[in-house]
Amino acid sequence: MTRRSCGALRAADAETVAELNGWVHRRRDHGGLIFVDLRDRDGLTQIVFDPQHTAFSQAEHLRNEDVLRAVGRVRKRPPGTENPKLATGEVEVEVQELEILNRSQVPPFQINVEENADENLRLEYRYLDLRRTRMQRNLTIRHRIIKAMRDFFDERDFLEIETPLLIKRTPEGARDYLVPSRLYPGSCYALPQSPQMLKQLLMIAGFGRYMQIARCLRDEDQRADRQLEFTQLDVEMSFCTQDEVLDLMESCMRFVWKRVLDVEIPPFARLTFAEAVERYGSDKPDLRFGLELAASSDVFAGSEFLVFKSVIENGGEIVALRYPGGAALSRREFDALTEEAKLLGAKGMVWIALGEDGIKSSAQRFIEQPHADELARRTQAQRGDAILLFADARDAAYAVAGKMRVEVGRRAGLRRDDAYAFCFITDFPYLEIDPETGKPMPAHHPFTSPAPGEWDLIETDPVRMRAQQYDMVLNGYEIGSGSIRIHKPELQRRIFEMLGMTPEQVEAQFGFFVRALDYGAPPHGGMALGVDRIAMVACAEENIREVIAFPKNQVARDVMMDAPSPAPEKALRELHIQQIPSKPKN
RNA sequence: GGCGCUGUAGCUCAGUUGGUUAGAGCGCCGCCCUGUCACGGCGGAGGUCGUGGGUUCGAGCCCCAUCAGCGUCGCCA
């Protein structure tokens, strides 16, 4: 007798005796004959109860999700009763001995159907939700992705090195999770937002090639593709160029996709930040489809249309977007689309429908046939399409057009979940201006090296300076970013100074790090990929929680454990913490 | 914090213009059934329509408030 999984038995196993352990997936009771589909991670096997065996009377009372140990003869199913939908469908097990290892209550939702239960309920009973095929599949794919990543880097002589979870708080960036210290009243550890400085220190330490499947934590509000606790494939290497990092990471992802999904990925597109914004209105363009944007202010030079006129006079831009098949929309539907654009930040939207019987437009009086022809030429729109126009300050117009491009792509069915469009975005601007304070902030992080030859701009025009920073993008998701780092201490100090930090502040916050640069830091750079997002796309899911075993919900609660939860007074006292009552709501 | 969507049976949902006793599928319970695999047949139980208030002769449906979930903007060096 051999213990087998519920997905293992084949015709060749007929006439052997097997032991199966698993859950009752479904019972079919024919009165004089009972079938049970027994389930484990590996699959389903039909087990049969015949009245001639004593197990039959036990089987009459089985319910879904009861846990069984069944021993019996494997036999070929009678001709005509094979089930081609099951891997084990040629055989069944005639149960001679049945042990009911545990009973199950009626579950709060059905395990054996695909239908989605309410997510809060799924999360509350996550251990039941995880029994379902979809989640077993997703977590299996996730495992294979991580395994492939480790294998890939192991073959290339990278070392996986663990870095601490309890580290020093660093200013700026995302909000930190803090862990109060018992031994040092008033002081806290921070949980890492990423192992950024630690991996750079490993380069300084001479490890040369580092990788880690690293947990990162950021105390920010949740999104469909963001979880407060997430996993990165963290990579760093010494004596490398930007292209070497990009080539390596591209190879990694092509390796992962081939091994996990058996899909060949063509070479990644590489776009500069400026190109990405001009062509797609985004620094994370979805390249599964074209629909490139077209700058169109010049088309409307001299236009009497007040909206366009004032935008052009103020140096703004009119950006055109093709909507395939959009001419079929009714006025009401165009109005709804306009509202959608406004929710995404548009001041307004002008639409032009290229109908069979001429053009229609929301700005009919100001749109002439030559305008439409030129816009159609630039956006490659054809009769039957619509053209959407967004006029605003340059950045705002491209941003809105880019978001609407994604929406139009969705409506036109261009966002297939079995298509994978990877690309790199390079040449990011080094600085962003904080709209609230007006202060320059690093677009990535302050350890990023400026573009070669652009150091001088730091003195003259820092906002024009570009960074040796790069993002990896997949189907419109930012799945990773990295940079070549600064390895010269004086340059690092100069960056901090530009960011408005005094030497005292630098010493207090980054002293250990800048000091390390003083001791022969090699040139180095790297990248970190978002494992959860990658798994999400590979699983054709649209929510990151579907590829995480025990995620928090949108308001950062674990509804299964009910965390966070109030800490006992004693524990707080040990941590020197006193609660400050929050302001009561009116 | 803002905006949007959702909330009706254990689960997934329908519920018309405000009008009699709020429905369906699945699940659950009972009985029958020896080749099913989403087995089938017969019967049954199960509802504070998220919560509170209001309008009305009458509210699942309209109005106000509130709670929860999801999505999104802000935020995410």
Side-chain angles (χ1 to χ4, degrees):
Chain A
M1 183 195 67
T2 328
R3 185 179 298 154
R4 307 295 296 273
S5 81
C6 292
L9 295 175
R10 296 293 182 273
D13 297 301
E15 302 313 318
T16 62
V17 174
E19 172 190 323
L20 297 179
N21 289 274
W23 286 261
V24 173
H25 188 66
R26 186 172 271 123
R27 184 173 68 114
R28 291 177 295 279
D29 187 342
H30 287 240
L33 191 66
I34 298 170
F35 300 98
V36 168
D37 289 336
L38 199 64
R39 183 196 69 235
D40 66 11
R41 169 154 72 88
D42 205 32
L44 293 178
T45 301
Q46 173 166 288
I47 61 178
V48 189
F49 295 88
D50 193 282
Q52 71 188 62
H53 296 297
T54 54
F56 183 84
S57 57
Q58 293 173 277
E60 285 183 304
H61 303 108
L62 289 177
R63 292 193 303 190
N64 286 347
E65 302 310 313
D66 285 345
V67 189
L68 309 183
R69 173 178 168 274
V71 179
R73 187 170 64 95
V74 182
R75 67 185 185 204
K76 281 195 173 174
R77 294 196 191 187
T81 66
E82 300 89 350
N83 184 352
K85 284 187 275 184
L86 291 183
T88 61
E90 283 190 89
V91 296
E92 61 193 7
V93 173
E94 175 191 357
V95 181
Q96 285 143 342
E97 184 191 337
L98 178 71
E99 193 178 345
I100 298 171
L101 298 170
N102 213 346
R103 293 281 189 183
S104 174
Q105 300 275 342
V106 175
F109 51 84
Q110 288 170 256
I111 314 296
N112 56 14
V113 296
E114 290 289 316
E115 191 173 59
N116 231 348
D118 175 76
E119 200 189 5
N120 225 32
L121 198 66
R122 290 175 61 203
L123 291 178
E124 185 179 345
Y125 296 92
R126 188 59 157 180
Y127 43 88
L128 296 181
D129 187 43
L130 292 176
R131 283 185 193 166
R132 310 208 305 183
T133 317
R134 172 198 192 177
M135 295 305 292
Q136 299 252 323
R137 182 197 69 127
N138 287 358
L139 293 185
T140 303
I141 290 174
R142 183 186 172 114
H143 160 79
R144 291 208 191 112
I145 289 170
I146 291 173
K147 173 74 162 71
M149 288 169 168
R150 285 203 163 105
D151 287 350
F152 178 89
F153 284 101
D154 180 60
E155 281 164 24
R156 283 157 185 78
D157 203 25
F158 282 72
L159 288 188
E160 177 157 16
I161 300 174
E162 292 176 274
T163 52
L165 284 177
L166 296 173
I167 62 173
K168 182 183 171 73
R169 201 180 92 83
T170 52
E172 299 182 273
R175 209 172 287 116
D176 283 306
Y177 278 100
L178 296 180
V179 179
S181 161
R182 172 176 59 86
L183 297 176
Y184 301 91
S187 287
C188 290
Y189 301 98
L191 301 176
Q193 296 179 26
S194 83
Q196 181 59 38
M197 278 185 282
L198 292 158
K199 68 174 174 177
Q200 292 192 239
L201 290 165
L202 288 171
M203 294 305 104
I204 296 169
F207 280 99
R209 292 169 164 241
Y210 145 93
M211 64 81 68
Q212 183 182 195
I213 301 296
R215 196 59 73 80
C216 307
L217 299 104
R218 295 177 190 176
D219 186 3
E220 297 291 347
D221 288 349
Q222 309 299 293
R223 287 290 183 278
D225 63 350
R226 269 177 13 202
Q227 181 78 186
L228 51 102
E229 195 176 347
F230 63 103
T231 303
Q232 286 187 342
L233 164 63
D234 199 34
V235 175
E236 194 78 5
M237 55 204 281
S238 297
F239 311 111
C240 62
T241 63
Q242 172 170 318
D243 278 342
E244 282 166 354
V245 177
L246 297 188
D247 290 345
L248 178 77
M249 300 310 289
E250 174 172 344
S251 300
C252 174
M253 291 312 294
R254 294 172 74 183
F255 175 78
V256 168
W257 244 245
K258 176 64 186 164
R259 200 202 275 178
V260 177
L261 300 175
D262 196 25
V263 170
E264 302 276 358
I265 299 294
F268 289 14
R270 296 189 186 189
L271 302 172
T272 66
F273 173 85
E275 281 173 331
V277 168
E278 264 175 40
R279 293 169 61 187
Y280 305 103
S282 171
D283 61 357
K284 44 178 182 176
D286 189 340
L287 296 187
R288 281 175 294 180
F289 54 93
L291 299 187
E292 294 195 25
L293 307 178
S296 303
S297 294
D298 55 317
V299 178
F300 295 99
S303 171
E304 293 301 308
F305 187 34
L306 221 60
V307 173
F308 287 179
K309 198 174 167 186
S310 75
V311 162
I312 291 168
E313 279 169 5
N314 292 314
E317 186 66 84
I318 300 166
V319 179
L321 167 67
R322 173 186 169 218
Y323 184 161
L329 266 64
S330 66
R331 264 166 203 280
R332 181 189 287 260
E333 288 170 319
F334 274 121
D335 287 347
L337 193 63
T338 306
E339 285 310 306
E340 219 165 311
K342 284 181 179 169
L343 286 173
L344 294 172
K347 297 250 169 50
M349 183 183 92
V350 169
W351 52 267
I352 304 167
L354 309 178
E356 294 300 327
D357 46 353
I359 58 170
K360 287 202 189 76
S361 173
S362 54
Q364 193 77 36
R365 284 203 296 141
F366 304 99
I367 307 289
E368 313 278 354
Q369 191 66 44
H371 292 132
D373 290 344
E374 178 58 19
L375 292 172
R377 194 186 65 76
R378 293 186 187 194
T379 60
Q380 303 190 331
Q382 297 161 356
R383 192 169 300 173
D385 292 348
I387 294 167
L388 311 181
L389 297 170
F390 304 94
D392 206 330
R394 190 176 180 284
D395 290 354
Y398 276 108
V400 165
K403 288 175 185 165
M404 289 302 288
R405 173 181 170 273
V406 173
E407 170 61 15
V408 165
R410 187 188 66 78
R411 287 164 170 243
L414 301 172
R415 306 183 65 195
R416 295 171 47 120
D417 61 14
D418 60 345
Y420 307 103
F422 287 88
C423 68
F424 284 117
I425 309 297
T426 62
D427 297 270
F428 280 80
Y430 197 95
L431 294 173
E432 283 169 357
I433 301 299
D434 186 325
E436 282 174 25
T437 62
K439 248 180 67 176
M441 297 180 7
H444 190 42
H445 55 58
F447 315 112
T448 299
S449 177
E454 297 200 354
W455 266 107
D456 292 345
L457 287 173
I458 205 171
E459 313 298 341
T460 56
D461 193 0
V463 174
R464 272 186 50 220
M465 189 165 69
R466 285 173 301 173
Q468 287 192 70
Q469 183 211 329
Y470 31 85
D471 281 3
M472 189 189 287
V473 174
L474 167 58
N475 293 1
Y477 292 106
E478 183 195 315
I479 57 164
S481 67
S483 63
I484 299 299
R485 328 297 183 187
I486 297 165
H487 66 282
K488 299 269 197 190
E490 61 275 17
L491 299 182
Q492 185 65 72
R493 290 195 175 89
R494 182 68 190 89
I495 290 287
F496 284 136
E497 183 190 342
M498 176 183 72
L499 297 174
M501 294 177 70
T502 65
E504 291 72 28
Q505 286 170 323
V506 172
E507 177 55 32
Q509 291 164 5
F510 299 108
F512 70 101
F513 182 76
V514 182
R515 204 165 304 120
L517 296 176
D518 284 327
Y519 291 93
H524 59 288
M527 192 158 196
L529 301 187
V531 169
D532 314 84
R533 283 183 188 171
I534 289 168
M536 176 175 84
V537 175
C539 292
E541 294 286 359
E542 290 186 342
N543 194 295
I544 200 167
R545 295 186 293 272
E546 303 296 347
V547 296
I548 298 174
F550 299 104
K552 309 309 184 258
N553 72 4
Q554 215 211 10
V555 281
R557 292 202 67 81
D558 182 322
V559 291
M560 182 182 67
M561 294 184 171
D562 193 27
S565 55
E569 187 58 38
K570 179 170 179 290
L572 291 177
R573 212 170 18 244
E574 272 189 339
L575 295 168
H576 322 283
I577 289 177
Q578 191 174 20
Q579 194 190 342
I580 299 170
S582 50
K583 271 188 215 157
K585 289 188 205 172
N586 310 328

